[in-house]
């Protein structure tokens, strides 16, 4: 029994053009997922900065 579930690279190569990658699109799109990741990274960075500032200036 041989599995034939290989995905051809030519089929999946151009899902999203590079020009469209930074567009602000809503819904379940690759662009929305990219922006979600960027915003999450910025949010985590801000939280870490706030925690560092609070721990530096707290008197405990």
């Amino acid at each position: 029994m041989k599995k034939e579930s290989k995905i051809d690279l030519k089929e999946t190569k151009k899902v999203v053009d590079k020009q469209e990658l930074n567009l602000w699109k809503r819904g379940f799109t690759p662009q929305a997922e990219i922006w979600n990741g960027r915003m999450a990274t910025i949010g985590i960075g801000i939280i870490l900065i706030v925690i560092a500032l609070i721990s530096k200036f707290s008197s405990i």
Side-chain angles (χ1 to χ4, degrees):
M1 199 179 248
K2 190 177 182 181
K3 279 189 174 179
E4 295 187 23
S5 63
K6 286 187 177 180
I7 298 174
D8 192 15
L9 238 100
K10 293 178 184 176
E11 293 176 11
T12 60
K13 191 172 183 180
K14 269 201 161 184
V15 176
V16 177
D17 290 335
K18 288 184 179 182
Q19 296 172 353
E20 285 187 26
L21 214 51
N22 285 325
L23 293 177
W24 189 272
K25 290 188 176 181
R26 290 192 249 163
F28 295 106
T29 61
Q31 294 90 348
E33 293 300 319
I34 289 171
W35 279 104
N36 286 340
R38 290 174 181 168
M39 294 299 127
T41 304
I42 290 171
I44 290 171
I46 290 171
I47 289 171
L48 291 175
I49 290 171
V50 168
I51 290 172
L53 289 173
I54 288 172
S55 66
K56 182 177 181 178
F57 293 115
S58 67
S59 62
I60 297 175

